Amino acid sequence: MPPHLSADRPAAQPPGRGSVDALISQARRLKGDVDAVRRDTPSDASDPQERWQRALYDLALHQLDDLDTHLGQLQEGPPLVSPAPTAVLPDRAEPPAPRRGSLLSRVGSAEWNLLTDEASWSGELYQILGRDPAAAPLTLDELPSLVLDEDRPKLTSMVTDCLVDAKPIDGEFRVVRPDGEARTVHMMGEPVLDSDGSTASMWAVLRDVSELRRCRSAVSETRDSLQRHRHQAQTEHRIAVELQEAVLPPWRGSLRLPHQGPETLDLAAHQLSSPPGALIGGDWYDALELADGQTLLSVGDLTGHGVAVASGMATLLGAVRGMAMAGTQPGQLMSWLNQLLDATVQPALGSAVCCRYRPDTRTLTWAQAGHPAPLLFRDGTGRRLNAPDGVLLGATSGAVYAQAEETLEVGDLLVLHTDGLVPGRGATDSMQVLSDLGPRLDGAGTAQDCLRLIVDEFGDREREDDACVLVARVTS
């Protein structure tokens, strides 16, 4: 036998994709080598030692098939289970003494003489079946008594085909040991023919494959579970997207508010989506003409992802619109929004900016809750507005939110956005990056042109979460 077939190999760490491909190639080459050696062994050997050696070759081929299957599963997905160890082939006729836990400790042999009705079992077979080594081996007629009821027809059919039609045995069945434990046994065997061609005896090699079958079952169940979770995640993502689209303002492109009067805001907004497959966040933007002729501008973000967060965002945005329409000023609005979030069943945190713009005086009154302050661009230069005090929504009960005022000028550009507009940057760095766009925004013209410039600059960057941006240009 070629020495490389029985070479022991040191334990290795879980392989990467390239290593798995290499292992698959090595396993298949080894399988070819074993098969070549097996073909050189007589298939009709009458010597028990030669039959044992050929049985081990057959067993090694089965073991390599199992290894190939496991490596294929590892190649397709996470390494959920360890592959079965490669069989170590003997280099002598008599089987070596097996180590506890080794492959050969899970392999036993048996022979049933049909002429004398005698049976002989190896010690390993007694161990596999949980039988007392001092007890007589079971005959072929007695063997089915160990097998589960539903598997007995399979065993009877295999044995009958072997004895009557001289067909080799290659199949599995489950046995119940005296301690009540069920084990799965793989049986391989052949008839031994007499000189007149009749079956004189039957020999077999029986292998305990219980752990391997449990591993395969675990892989199958895990894949089914992953598919269910994937389908559930896809469904939740679709619902969250639909909910988000239903809640955010229906207008697309540009908008002018208020609709009547010479002093208006030229508005444009956009949502920058997270990567495909990522969960939907709780970002929102809004622009609304109020009953008193003023304009509401708001952006915000509720922490978390998924349907529950999208639903919470819808609740907050609805509350903002309702309170603003009733005439609530931004500071008070934030306080009541904080109480609303604090009273929800599932605790959550949120950030927001809320502004009321009065067109006749071009006055912007605004408040914030732990959110980036709006950016004001004037004559090509950008700066953050000085933020009034305000903690995150839901962070503490009874929080008080201050508000500030800013007088705008014709041509001013106001940019409101949520976190993540500039991926990978902190608040200070994001402000600087956005401020650097000042000269380009000054020459952009309409709000839609300015928005397009911002989206072109930051929209293609890899981001982990959604982001919203709302721009408002003061017109005469």
Side-chain angles (χ1 to χ4, degrees):
M1 180 184 302
H4 68 275
L5 296 184
S6 59
D8 292 329
R9 301 183 184 254
Q13 296 298 319
R17 177 63 181 264
S19 300
V20 171
D21 292 340
L23 286 173
I24 290 175
S25 298
Q26 292 175 11
R28 290 175 181 174
R29 284 197 299 270
L30 181 59
K31 180 180 175 181
D33 292 342
V34 173
D35 191 46
V37 175
R38 173 183 173 278
R39 287 196 298 268
D40 292 337
T41 304
S43 59
D44 57 348
S46 58
D47 189 330
Q49 294 181 351
E50 292 180 352
R51 292 204 302 270
W52 168 256
Q53 190 172 34
R54 180 177 174 82
L56 286 180
Y57 293 150
D58 291 336
L59 177 63
L61 290 175
H62 273 271
Q63 193 76 6
L64 287 168
D65 281 338
D66 291 336
L67 177 60
D68 190 44
T69 299
H70 275 258
L71 288 172
Q73 293 167 348
L74 182 61
Q75 186 182 46
E76 294 173 5
L80 301 174
V81 294
S82 299
T86 304
V88 179
L89 304 183
D91 55 2
R92 59 190 185 197
E94 290 297 329
R99 299 186 305 272
R100 180 175 178 82
S102 69
L103 168 64
L104 292 181
S105 70
R106 299 191 301 272
V107 179
S109 62
E111 185 166 359
W112 291 274
N113 191 312
L114 304 183
L115 303 179
T116 63
D117 200 27
E118 294 178 339
S120 60
W121 285 9
S122 69
E124 291 77 23
L125 184 55
Y126 278 96
Q127 181 181 352
I128 290 170
L129 301 179
R131 305 282 296 176
D132 182 357
L138 299 182
T139 65
L140 282 177
D141 292 333
E142 297 170 331
L143 185 62
S145 65
L146 302 180
V147 180
L148 286 177
D149 292 344
E150 54 265 38
D151 288 359
R152 286 178 186 172
K154 184 190 301 183
L155 174 62
T156 300
S157 176
M158 289 191 299
V159 172
T160 301
D161 289 345
C162 180
L163 299 182
V164 176
D165 299 326
K167 292 182 178 180
I169 291 176
D170 189 350
E172 294 181 5
F173 52 87
R174 291 166 295 172
V175 300
V176 180
R177 294 158 53 106
D179 59 5
E181 181 184 7
R183 307 293 292 180
T184 302
V185 176
H186 179 234
M187 184 177 185
M188 297 172 57
E190 293 182 358
V192 178
L193 302 182
D194 206 346
S195 57
D196 60 358
S198 61
T199 303
S201 63
M202 189 189 86
W203 64 268
V205 172
L206 294 94
R207 170 185 169 211
D208 186 346
V209 294
S210 306
E211 298 302 326
L212 178 61
R213 297 301 168 255
R214 274 197 286 268
C215 289
R216 286 184 176 176
S217 177
V219 169
S220 177
E221 291 175 0
T222 301
R223 285 183 172 170
D224 290 344
S225 177
L226 287 174
Q227 290 178 350
R228 289 194 299 271
H229 284 299
R230 188 178 298 114
H231 177 71
Q232 181 180 356
Q234 290 172 345
T235 301
E236 290 185 356
H237 184 271
R238 176 179 54 80
I239 293 174
V241 169
E242 292 176 353
L243 180 59
Q244 188 181 64
E245 291 178 348
V247 171
L248 292 179
W251 52 273
R252 296 293 183 267
S254 59
L255 176 71
R256 285 181 176 267
L257 293 177
H259 296 295
Q260 302 296 328
E263 302 288 345
T264 62
L265 289 179
D266 178 21
L267 301 165
H270 184 74
Q271 183 179 40
L272 289 81
S273 300
S274 53
L279 293 176
I280 297 298
D283 294 64
W284 85 77
Y285 65 87
D286 197 22
L288 182 67
E289 182 177 353
L290 303 177
D292 58 5
Q294 298 187 37
T295 298
L296 168 72
L297 303 177
S298 71
V299 296
D301 181 14
L302 189 63
T303 58
H305 300 85
V307 175
V309 171
S311 177
M313 178 269 287
T315 300
L316 288 183
L317 183 52
V320 170
R321 289 170 175 170
M323 288 188 287
M325 191 64 74
T328 307
Q329 292 299 304
Q332 184 62 61
L333 188 150
M334 287 296 182
S335 296
W336 287 346
L337 209 60
N338 180 66
Q339 292 182 28
L340 175 63
L341 195 58
D342 187 55
T344 56
V345 176
Q346 294 183 338
L349 294 175
S351 67
V353 165
C354 182
C355 309
R356 290 177 71 99
Y357 176 69
R358 183 174 177 179
D360 56 348
T361 61
R362 292 197 291 272
T363 302
L364 184 78
T365 304
W366 68 286
Q368 63 84 29
H371 199 90
L375 271 165
L376 176 61
F377 291 88
R378 179 176 294 167
D379 299 328
T381 301
R383 65 176 177 88
R384 286 278 186 195
L385 299 184
N386 294 324
D389 292 337
V391 299
L392 285 170
L393 299 172
T396 180
S397 300
V400 176
Y401 294 84
Q403 62 185 35
E405 287 190 358
E406 188 79 22
T407 301
L408 304 182
E409 298 178 3
V410 174
D412 283 353
L413 181 71
L414 202 63
V415 177
L416 286 70
H417 66 88
T418 59
D419 285 333
L421 175 62
V422 186
R425 299 294 187 100
T428 302
D429 289 343
S430 297
M431 181 191 71
Q432 184 59 51
V433 172
L434 287 166
S435 297
D436 291 343
L437 296 178
R440 297 165 62 189
L441 291 172
D442 188 52
T446 67
Q448 186 65 34
D449 293 335
C450 294
L451 176 66
R452 188 177 298 111
L453 192 153
I454 294 174
V455 172
D456 288 346
E457 183 71 22
F458 305 115
D460 293 336
R461 300 194 184 188
E462 186 174 338
R463 64 187 69 253
E464 298 178 356
D465 206 346
D466 295 346
C468 291
V469 57
L470 172 65
V471 299
R473 172 82 77 181
V474 180
T475 65
S476 57

